Amino acid sequence: MSDGSAKPELTGTEPVAQESEIPHDSARLHVTGRADYVDDMPEPAGTLHAAIGLATIARGRIAAMDLDAVAAAPGVVAVLTAKDIPGANTASAMGKGVHPLLAEGRVDYHGQPLFLVVAEERMAARRAARLGRIDYAPEPPVLDIAAARTAGAAPIAAGLTVRRGDVAAALESSPRRLSGRMSVGGQEHFYIEGQIALALPREDDELLVYSATQDPGEVQSVVAHMLNLPANAVAVSVRRMGGAFGGKESQPAIFAALAALAADRLKRPVKLRPDRDDDMTITGKRHDFTVDYEIGFTDEGRITGLDATLYARAGHSEDLTRGVADRAVLHVDNAYFYPAARAESRCLFTNTVSNTAFRGYGGPQGIAAAERWIEDIAYTLGMDPLEVRRRNFYGEGARGVTHYHQPVRDNILARVVDELERTSDYQRRRAKVIAFNRGTAGPIRRGIALVPVKFGISYSAKFMNQGAALLSVYRDGSVHISHAGTEMGQGIHTKILQIAASEFGLPLSRVRVTATATDRVPNTVPTSGSLGTDLNGMAVVDAARKIKARLADLVAPGLPTEEIGFEAGEVLTPEGRVGFADLVERAFKSRVSLSATGYYRTPHIHWDRAAGRGSPYLYFTYGASCSEVAVDTLTGEYRVLRTDILQDVGHSINRDIDLGQIEGGFMQGLGWSTTEELWWDGSGRLATHAPSTYKIPLASDRPAVLNIGIAEWSENAAPTVMRSKAVGEPPVMLALSVPGALAMAAASLADYAFPPKLDLPATPERVLAECARQRQMAQRAPGVRAAE
Amino acid sequence: MATRTRLSFLLNEARADLETVPTDGTLLEFLRLTRRSTGTKEGCGEGDCGACTVLVGRLRTGRVSYEPVNACIRPLASVDGCHVVTIEHLGGARGTHPLQEAMVGCHGSQCGFCTPGMVMALEANRLADAPVDTETALQGNLCRCTGYGPILRAARTVGEAPMAEDPLVRANARTAARLAEMADGADLELSGPGGTSWLPASIDSFAATLAARPEARIVAGATDFALNLTKRLEVPPALIFTGRVAGFDRIEARDGRLHIGPGVTFAQAMPVLDAHLPQLSALWRRIGGPQVRHAGTLVGNIANGSPIGDGPPVWIALGARLILRHGTERRALAVEDYFIDYGRQDRKPGEFIEELVVPLPENTVLLAAHKVSKRFDEDISAVLGAFHLRREGDVVAEARIAFGGMAGIPKRAAHVEAALTGRPWDEATLHAALPEFARDFTPMDDMRASAEYRLTVARNLLVRVWLASRGVDTDLRELAHV
């Protein structure tokens, strides 16, 4: 296993139960309020509480910081600034670029942390944090993509350019071509549990940090660098997070490092839990993008060439922008073959929060743009967008290679789309929608769209494609697992338990996963990219098989391990059945090691970023969704009437967990593409910094009818754990059928003669603006049957 | 009646008696920080996510009636004499409640952080006299993981469990007896490190206390006020609560008018409003979620002077009046005159709104109110238009049209009204009236909407009213499922 060439067949690794039987491993704790998050852990005696003082301008020099009133406030124990940081003053993910933990001399976004207050009580710290008197020499901030393009500053990270063929020539010789621009908004993660860290000083300058993080290794590294400590002096632990979605990949390091700074300085436990508004103000979000494109196509709707430039708002530091923008470039194909293509990313500096990972990681933005030009083509040619989509699906041979030169070998999209078209009754309903729109005298219009999604699985940063586990069998036969993956609600621990239980033939109750901890499994990569189970599940299999081999060797030396069965709590040896626990005890007495590390690295992937060529993905997942909406063309308000989804998850390890990921991902994508709007005022202050102003979907925003199916027949062609496929991110993009349907409803006002230009998020305001644009064009164009 | 200085309530099984109650103390902080009862979560600290939902039970006609409450914005002082129930207690002696079992069985939790609040909101709906559909019951609860489907299924599954076996139902009589024992009808004066909270028990006592301490901040449902504590971090020196005053929660129809006391919550008023003003039913169901509607009061929604409160435009359109009282003095004031300018209201120190009086319209009146917001439910209006058109034959005899979100105060559309009044209710009149909006309003750009959108939508809401009056279907929510 650890040679990187995983066996294609994992015989005997069927999950203990396949159907709807295995709930989330913490479900009982969740529902009774007994699941402990970091803020729920008993605070050690003497715990102090920290709060962060925030910048109130978006850009400028700090002329002076007068913190006397802060220090003098009731209950305050210490006030710390950048000067108090003994090592590296950086929160930057993987050491990239400049991202000060506390501002040094200048401010680059409104809400940037300036200083840390430590007090006996949380409210005392928060009150004191507002008493700083800062003199700024303000400079005009660069706040958005348009301004950044005008300003023309150097990119914050190198862009990626991917090419195939002669795009200029292809466009030149295209029967048809058009160009456009699309804006795709960012998104606040809105994990319900906010950022938090609790740092405990230990003897000999060691630190233990409880952090709500997807990446304990990164937190450990940032804390150690910040304190000039070796990594072996810092332990980071996370049992679970109350949601993360990418927002706890690089961002938790800020809070963990500041708590650690205070704990180290004061030699007392320090907890830092920012208020929700501060959390939303300080932390990065999904990148908003503007995509400029030119597309060539035939009269039959076949794409001949694409030239696209993707501008990403990075914010004030690089963070994970490069990878996000790379994935956007690698997903501007979505499911479509471009005979000639050039796609390029530009990572723009702005005086706003440093944007970061968010479920989909650039994929949603790239795919949203792809669907925009599909719509352009369809409306220009008067075709059903689904037909245009189909005509451009990847095919065989030369038509089966992406713009970054990876062959699409496992393509099952046509089957997925055909099946969904049938089960959603798309054709009949589309005809009904068109008839309704033709026949109505009222303000309500309808729209329907069926959108496919292809999503690449693996990190393009090759080194990150690794998983690790520590598996221990105790003398009573119970099994304990630590692995590098973190639990944020996605159910990774449940799947890991199933994998381990299946390997050992044990009931789930005999296996336990506890906190992810850097002192048990070192050098973790973040749990992200939908890869948690792919990477760490394989590592657990590797560890389990090592121990199984030792046990097999004990009962049947020389016999291949595969011939020793592990099932129903027993081991099938040549001499007969032995209880697992009995054999384990025998192994212990025979001085056989009962713990093992497991390791996995993804095979078959390679990526040459400089050349923009390679096969960065081990495999693709496929899905499709069909949504129907009703739009009030007087106000732009809308409802999603029905959504049908079919998603490929390979051979599912836990069907209910996968269904939960699909539904939850779809709804999160629905929020991103409809009501979730980030709004900064003219001074660069984020005005949507709380749920009162930032609107994620509610239960009542769920489509009135939501049918979710898994492509049960799919099995991963790539050698993954139990032939499963990653499921975390792809469903986010399934939501794109909703703006597609909204756009159709608006386009009906001009009899579908003009491509809609609905930017995201498609708030009621944007939908109404598009309705107005369509009405205007209908009035100007003779022959178009205008709506009243 | 004697004054009591100790706060007493039931917390799950045990009685809590507190000699010191800070004016900035919330129920959530008490639970999580003082009692280290951490099952109740904090998500936002402003009553918008519902993660901190608990049940607060009050003695009503001999039994305990439970409401869902956002503990994060619930002043601790306000739970005197109540039964506070948290997630840890829900299962009773059996350990887990059928709702909790259903949530496990239906995979209703992923990260689990919203889950305790979800369970409590669902339980509140189960216990309600008139349970609503689950989507409505969860208007005040955000989940970022599940997409809600599994939670809705859990609610449906548990619907079959007999209520008689619910631990809170089984214990109701016993709990009622314990609360009855605590109900002393006394005025409360609670002191804390930064200030004092008064909770008078009678109207006269309230009036006298406030007149004597005009600096005291009046607290009703606290859904807006509490943000001063959790977000502005204030420690108010003096608070006076309406919640304990006998008679403040009175709502009745009398002489063709609705008389609404200052303690009447949206939840309490809705059945009465529905009976007398059925045209507005949908509107009330879009104010906050159940937690907010059970706490927020109709009068508080006026009194705080917000330009985006959802009630004031409606009351202005209906020609409602306020009775203001200072000590024993009273005066009447039209609701529209209460709002002087942004942040300024016609209420003197020591004065309070004793009653909202709403004239009920005749049958010939076309009454409508439309709220437009980014998200359909639990959102603050970008624009809210209220229309009251009295027609004589085909002619608009009187028009009262008021908008929220269009100015620094809730404001009438005087020019639009003038363009309609005395004219036939027809398309020509409509088109003549539409340009008048630009004379009435200069709305602003903010995170909720642009000025242009607000103005367009205001016009189009009048179009919607017109179309609806001609029988054209304009209601998105009425659409049949496909």
Side-chain angles (χ1 to χ4, degrees), chain B residues 27 50 52-56 67-72 74 79 124 291 294-295:
Chain B
L27 178 56
C52 64
T53 303
V54 299
L55 298 180
V56 171
E67 297 175 345
V69 159
N70 286 318
C72 72
R74 183 67 167 216
V79 300
Q291 295 91 328
H294 276 99

Side-chain angles (χ1 to χ4, degrees), chain A residues 30-31 37 40 127 130 188-189 276-277 632 634-635 637 663-664 676-677 692 696-697 700 765, chain B residues 24 32 41 43 46 100 109-111 144-145 148-149 231 233 374-377 450 453 460 464 479:
Chain A
H30 292 155
V31 300
Y37 302 80
D40 302 333
R127 286 198 179 96
R130 298 188 181 184
E188 158 64 33
H189 304 82
R276 171 67 60 178
D277 298 61
D632 181 344
L634 290 173
T635 58
E637 296 165 286
E663 179 166 354
E676 292 185 39
E677 185 175 34
S692 52
I696 74 170
S700 57
E765 178 163 354
Chain B
D24 64 333
R32 287 191 59 86
K41 308 302 179 195
E46 61 174 18
Q100 292 168 320
S109 72
Q110 286 184 24
C111 86
R144 194 54 152 166
C145 295
Y148 301 100
K231 300 296 172 179
L233 310 183
K374 221 178 268 183
R375 187 175 67 195
F376 218 80
D377 283 325
S450 69
Y453 178 73
N460 286 353
R464 184 191 276 180
L479 284 171

Side-chain angles (χ1 to χ4, degrees), chain A residues 509-744:
Chain A
S509 59
R510 298 297 288 164
V511 188
R512 186 178 290 265
V513 176
T514 56
T516 312
T518 56
D519 49 3
R520 288 202 209 110
V521 175
N523 308 320
T524 61
V525 298
T527 307
S528 59
S530 312
L531 287 161
T533 300
D534 277 22
L535 299 176
N536 299 299
M538 280 298 225
V540 167
V541 170
D542 181 37
R545 290 190 177 179
K546 284 179 183 168
I547 292 177
K548 283 165 73 177
R550 293 175 203 156
L551 294 175
D553 195 45
L554 188 67
V555 290
L559 215 60
T561 311
E562 296 84 65
E563 293 185 19
I564 305 295
F566 287 75
E567 54 181 58
E570 293 181 323
V571 184
L572 279 55
T573 75
E575 305 104 66
R577 291 169 175 271
V578 188
F580 181 77
D582 296 336
L583 179 56
V584 164
E585 177 64 12
R586 205 172 117 198
F588 176 74
K589 294 273 172 61
S590 311
R591 301 192 297 167
V592 171
S593 166
L594 290 166
S595 86
T597 59
Y599 185 76
Y600 173 74
R601 58 175 175 257
T602 310
H604 313 309
I605 50 174
H606 57 92
W607 176 238
D608 180 346
R609 187 174 189 270
R613 295 180 76 101
S615 284
Y617 302 125
L618 179 63
Y619 62 92
F620 296 98
T621 71
Y622 300 90
S625 73
C626 174
S627 293
E628 181 173 346
V629 302
V631 173
D632 181 344
T633 61
L634 290 173
T635 58
E637 296 165 286
Y638 44 79
R639 308 296 299 164
V640 184
L641 305 176
R642 172 173 163 182
T643 295
D644 294 74
I645 288 170
L646 185 59
Q647 179 66 38
D648 154 38
V649 298
H651 180 99
S652 177
I653 293 176
N654 186 316
R655 222 173 153 272
D656 293 296
I657 283 178
D658 288 350
L659 284 168
Q661 287 297 298
I662 295 168
E663 179 166 354
F666 167 77
M667 286 296 285
Q668 203 166 63
L670 180 70
W672 161 66
S673 56
T674 58
T675 58
E676 292 185 39
E677 185 175 34
L678 293 162
W679 197 87
W680 282 265
D681 69 15
S683 71
R685 188 185 69 92
L686 177 68
T688 46
H689 52 70
S692 52
T693 46
Y694 185 77
K695 310 314 281 187
I696 74 170
L698 277 168
S700 57
D701 294 308
R702 196 170 174 270
V705 176
L706 178 54
N707 301 314
I708 300 176
I710 284 176
E712 307 281 358
W713 41 266
S714 173
E715 194 165 89
N716 200 341
T720 54
V721 63
M722 295 181 180
R723 296 284 172 179
S724 65
K725 284 191 175 185
V727 68
E729 295 168 293
V732 170
M733 287 144 281
L734 294 173
L736 287 167
S737 57
V738 173
L742 293 171
M744 179 186 175

